[in-house]
Amino acid sequence: MSAYLSIEGIARRFRTPKGTNTVFEDLWFAMDKGEFACVIGHSGCGKTTVLNILSGLEEPDGGVVIMDGQAIDGPSLDRAVIFQSHALLPWKSVLGNVAYAVASRHKDWSREKVRAHAERFIEVVGLKGAEHKRPAELSGGMKQRVGIARALSIEPKMLLMDEPFSALDALTRGTLQDEVRRICVETGQTVFMITHDVDEAIYLADRIVLMTNGPQASIAEIVENPLPRDRRRLDLHKQPDFYALRNHLIDFLVERSRVLRDSPPAGYDRRRPPVVRPTLATEPVGALSPRRTAGG
């Protein structure tokens, strides 16, 4: 069975007075429908550029991205983006912002049907009762909830998130992570998310894509999350494989992201990045550099 999303050999290059700057090249990655993938890597490796290519806001300089059997060629309401900033229309209410997106998606719907659909997703993100407030009357967390409701209300085939919680305080960030995970598990939403937060990736993702440092970044490996899919935030640190996974990710960011860019391991194939699954069965708790447990 073919993948729902297939990134096939994409590259991004920029011309400079000193020559061509290659941000990344020959990236290959595939996702199944309903999967939640997080991308981790240092600034400059091209994470946001990859997301922009998936959204259709940028074109790759090589390769192609195929989603649900169709090559991505420009923006589409099949792909909704949640940015770091909420990007709300300040003159519209909560309901107005969400309804605007719904009406754009369903131009043949009546005003009453658009309103009812928008109200359903406003309730889903916990903003029932705040429908008529404008962005200036909302906290940062509430604004981001509106952005999430707006994205989900168009029922996209793929949800793209570019560090959507990074500007929020820890408590609000955790609450919204809980909401997003609950919604995505319940609806089977396919998600591609950028984050710098290792614990966020562990909590949310089914798989974690690790990119080497830029320029000329590549996908170093794909980490399968060994934790149960029905995991809860408060129980994460109690899971037997939590520390093996966390240490593996931190070790990558601290050291291996640079080393693997300059010296790929023998047999490394960009088309088939190694797939690893760090677990307690192969690594002692607290070890900083877990061994690889599987190959792909």
Side-chain angles (χ1 to χ4, degrees):
M1 184 174 65
S2 60
Y4 190 64
L5 175 79
S6 184
I7 297 173
E8 302 182 358
I10 63 172
R12 194 70 175 97
R13 307 179 187 94
F14 296 96
R15 292 183 179 179
T16 70
K18 296 183 178 181
T20 300
N21 178 26
T22 300
V23 182
F24 57 77
E25 61 183 348
D26 206 16
L27 295 189
W28 293 77
F29 178 63
M31 289 179 63
D32 293 331
K33 187 174 183 179
E35 185 176 8
F36 198 127
C38 279
V39 181
I40 288 180
H42 288 287
S43 297
C45 71
K47 302 183 298 300
T48 296
T49 302
V50 172
L51 185 139
N52 287 341
I53 290 173
L54 297 186
S55 70
L57 296 175
E58 291 189 41
E59 293 184 2
D61 294 303
V64 67
V65 179
I66 299 173
M67 191 186 77
D68 197 18
Q70 299 290 326
I72 290 178
D73 183 20
S76 167
L77 290 174
D78 284 340
R79 285 160 272 122
V81 185
I82 301 176
F83 298 101
Q84 295 180 37
S85 61
H86 48 78
L88 302 181
L89 301 176
W91 62 89
K92 286 184 176 290
S93 65
V94 170
L95 178 60
N97 270 277
V98 180
Y100 182 81
V102 176
S104 299
R105 177 72 166 181
H106 303 286
K107 297 183 184 298
D108 57 334
W109 281 14
S110 67
R111 180 177 297 181
E112 292 73 20
K113 188 172 183 179
V114 167
R115 181 188 180 96
H117 189 80
E119 287 177 338
R120 178 162 70 89
F121 283 90
I122 289 170
E123 183 174 1
V124 164
V125 300
L127 286 178
K128 185 177 182 179
E131 295 92 340
H132 302 294
K133 291 185 177 181
R134 299 191 182 218
E137 303 174 82
L138 305 176
S139 67
M142 293 175 74
K143 291 175 184 177
Q144 202 67 328
R145 284 175 185 266
V146 179
I148 294 170
R150 181 177 57 186
L152 293 174
S153 69
I154 64 174
E155 299 177 299
K157 291 183 177 180
M158 172 159 286
L159 184 62
L160 304 169
M161 298 197 292
D162 186 2
E163 298 189 74
F165 314 125
S166 61
L168 303 174
D169 63 88
L171 183 58
T172 303
R173 183 166 63 245
T175 300
L176 285 184
Q177 288 170 354
D178 292 341
E179 290 294 322
V180 166
R181 174 156 182 79
R182 175 185 62 80
I183 293 167
C184 291
V185 169
E186 290 178 357
T187 63
Q189 178 69 59
T190 308
V191 184
F192 184 92
M193 177 177 172
I194 294 172
T195 182
H196 281 100
D197 189 327
V198 166
D199 292 319
E200 181 172 78
I202 292 173
Y203 179 47
L204 294 175
D206 300 311
R207 288 193 298 162
I208 303 167
V209 181
L210 303 182
M211 292 187 67
T212 64
N213 289 4
Q216 299 185 348
S218 62
I219 294 178
E221 61 189 30
I222 298 168
V223 179
E224 294 183 344
N225 194 331
L227 305 186
R229 186 168 173 78
D230 61 350
R231 53 190 175 269
R232 296 193 317 139
R233 175 186 305 280
L234 295 178
D235 295 335
L236 280 183
H237 69 287
K238 301 176 184 177
Q239 296 294 331
D241 298 325
F242 171 77
Y243 289 104
L245 173 59
R246 191 175 192 274
N247 289 339
H248 185 87
L249 299 179
I250 291 175
D251 179 46
F252 175 82
L253 291 173
V254 170
E255 182 176 5
R256 292 190 300 118
S257 58
R258 173 182 51 81
V259 172
L260 291 177
R261 179 197 61 183
D262 299 334
S263 302
Y268 173 75
D269 183 352
R270 287 177 178 266
R271 291 193 172 210
R272 298 175 181 82
V275 178
V276 302
R277 188 180 178 88
T279 65
L280 184 64
T282 56
E283 301 301 329
V285 173
L288 184 60
S289 304
R291 296 186 304 274
R292 294 184 176 183
T293 60

